[in-house]
Amino acid sequence: MTRAISLALVIGGVLLLYFGGQSMHSFGNDVSRFFTGSPTDKTIALLVGGAVALIAGLIGLAASARR
């Protein structure tokens, strides 16, 4: 059961990071827009949530592998 939850967290984290990255790239195509435009709260929440879920899933997988 722990392994399934950890795997779901890893997959969910990767998806959130993917959608956060897509939202970051949607500001514009040129590099100057990346530095001048600030990301929205939604983009930041997607990236942070994805990173947290991914790390939690990896920790859970590592803990279940030790048993």
Side-chain angles (χ1 to χ4, degrees):
M1 182 71 174
T2 304
R3 186 173 285 175
I5 293 171
S6 297
L7 192 60
L9 281 171
V10 168
I11 293 170
V14 169
L15 285 174
L16 287 175
L17 286 172
Y18 172 77
F19 287 121
Q22 290 299 318
S23 179
M24 183 74 80
H25 289 298
S26 69
F27 287 124
N29 291 334
D30 56 352
V31 177
S32 63
R33 177 75 178 178
F34 176 75
F35 290 107
T36 58
S38 62
T40 63
D41 291 339
K42 180 182 107 177
T43 302
I44 294 171
L46 285 172
L47 292 173
V48 170
V52 168
L54 183 63
I55 291 170
L58 290 175
I59 290 171
L61 284 175
S64 68
R66 290 184 185 173
R67 292 181 189 180

